[in-house]
Amino acid sequence: MSSSSSFLASLLGLSNGEDQLQRAFDEVQSLRTGAPLRQATNLKMSAPIRYYYDKMSQPSRALLIIFRLSNMPFEDCVVALRNGEHLTDDFKRQVNRFQRVPCIHDNGYKLAESVAILRYLSAKGKIPEHLYPKYFVDQSRVDEFLEWQHMTLRTTCAMYFRTVWLEPLLTGRTPTEAKIEKMRMHMERNLDVVEEVWLESSDFLTGNTLTVADIFAACEIEQTRMADYDVRIKYPKIRAWLKRVRQSCNPHYDVAHEFVYKISGTGPQAKL
């Protein structure tokens, strides 16, 4: 085929440019003329993405749920953070230069950071529009939450979890009551915003249907279970919303949170 055809193939995202583009041209020609479609001789299928994650990681769980809801094939590449598998030189060199999860490999292309991964796969048509809209107005509302939560809800929930559960586990030192109270106050300021602003008049965070914003937020809030914090006691709207998110995402939600339930000793429907 010509160089212009190869260039067009690359713009269309066809990894085996000439063969796949020729196949597309043949299909169009067959429809026009009624001629039988010639057999492809060297057409290759792209491999599914490799997804590196750990269910102890909040954004890892969020993407896992989103991938499952999207019926997107992927290769499971579980990384045991508790064993430091992400801290090796091999992981840094071969998997993710930032030595974190989640991350993906897509036919040689490496990408880290959960929201970047979400947007990349959405642009490739892998994420359904009801989860992450294509229309710019609807998408911007979801993006508004994703940008807001990263330095507010995510940071403060993670710091509370780290202070109360993770650091004592790693160091053997118990945090002071004053430090716990400080972390709790910072976290609850943002939970207040979720309760009073994001869930003021809708069933979900950005409207009346589930989007990726709800999944990312729910995974952050669920992490606090392991630090013996029950968000349902103080926040009735969040309590009802979490129930809706879980129902909308199951069975994938409970599978993603199996370690959270186990470590916290609280099942998904544990009574207050």
Side-chain angles (χ1 to χ4, degrees):
M1 293 180 68
S2 68
S3 60
S4 60
S5 296
S6 298
F7 176 69
L8 178 58
S10 66
L11 289 179
L12 293 173
L14 301 177
S15 58
N16 303 292
E18 295 189 3
D19 290 331
Q20 291 187 318
L21 190 56
Q22 183 64 59
R23 178 73 173 178
F25 288 158
D26 287 347
E27 289 178 352
V28 172
Q29 187 67 15
S30 176
L31 289 173
R32 287 177 175 174
T33 65
L37 186 63
R38 74 181 180 94
Q39 295 297 313
T41 57
N42 195 28
L43 189 62
K44 299 178 182 178
M45 297 297 291
S46 296
I49 70 163
R50 304 185 73 187
Y51 179 45
Y52 296 84
Y53 70 98
D54 187 327
K55 289 181 181 177
M56 288 293 289
S57 156
Q58 305 94 301
S60 285
R61 294 196 301 270
L63 285 182
L64 181 63
I65 294 167
I66 292 166
F67 291 174
R68 295 297 189 193
L69 289 174
S70 302
N71 294 316
M72 188 188 78
F74 63 91
E75 181 182 343
D76 260 319
C77 299
V78 177
V79 179
L81 299 180
R82 63 193 177 278
N83 296 333
E85 290 181 1
H86 60 305
L87 301 177
T88 66
D89 289 339
D90 284 346
F91 189 93
K92 182 177 183 179
R93 183 174 59 257
Q94 299 173 10
V95 179
N96 181 7
R97 55 187 172 165
F98 303 119
Q99 295 183 280
R100 300 170 64 180
V101 295
C103 60
I104 64 169
H105 287 188
D106 184 14
N107 290 286
Y109 180 65
K110 301 176 182 179
L111 185 64
E113 298 300 324
S114 56
V115 174
I117 293 168
L118 167 74
R119 290 170 177 160
Y120 169 77
L121 293 172
S122 172
K124 292 191 70 174
K126 303 294 186 181
I127 309 297
E129 289 192 44
H130 68 272
L131 289 179
Y132 188 62
K134 295 287 189 184
Y135 178 53
F136 71 97
V137 173
D138 297 335
Q139 185 182 101
S140 66
R141 187 63 69 200
V142 175
D143 285 340
E144 180 183 38
F145 179 84
L146 294 176
E147 298 294 342
W148 174 83
Q149 69 99 28
H150 192 72
M151 294 301 295
T152 51
L153 183 68
R154 169 162 172 70
T155 298
T156 54
C157 285
M159 287 305 298
Y160 183 83
F161 164 75
R162 183 181 181 90
T163 299
V164 176
W165 189 85
L166 186 59
E167 287 182 355
L169 180 68
L170 296 177
T171 67
R173 295 193 294 269
T174 302
T176 64
E177 288 298 323
K179 185 174 183 179
I180 293 174
E181 179 64 13
K182 180 181 179 180
M183 293 297 104
R184 184 188 63 79
M185 288 179 61
H186 287 324
M187 178 177 67
E188 288 188 345
R189 287 195 190 107
N190 292 299
L191 290 171
D192 288 344
V193 176
V194 175
E195 179 86 0
E196 298 166 9
V197 178
W198 290 104
L199 292 173
E200 178 185 15
S201 58
S202 59
D203 287 341
F204 295 95
L205 294 174
T206 62
N208 289 316
T209 58
L210 177 89
T211 69
V212 296
D214 301 282
I215 299 171
F216 275 99
C219 289
E220 296 296 340
I221 293 173
E222 291 282 16
Q223 192 84 349
T224 64
R225 282 178 181 254
M226 293 188 287
D228 293 327
Y229 184 86
D230 193 338
V231 70
R232 301 173 301 167
I233 295 173
K234 188 175 180 179
Y235 298 100
K237 287 185 179 179
I238 293 178
R239 179 175 69 240
W241 162 78
L242 278 173
K243 185 176 181 179
R244 287 192 290 271
V245 174
R246 176 175 172 264
Q247 289 174 339
S248 299
C249 295
N250 259 344
H252 313 303
Y253 191 91
D254 284 350
V255 171
H257 286 92
E258 59 183 343
F259 292 140
V260 173
Y261 299 153
K262 181 177 180 180
I263 292 171
S264 66
T266 60
Q269 300 188 62
K271 295 182 179 179
L272 294 175

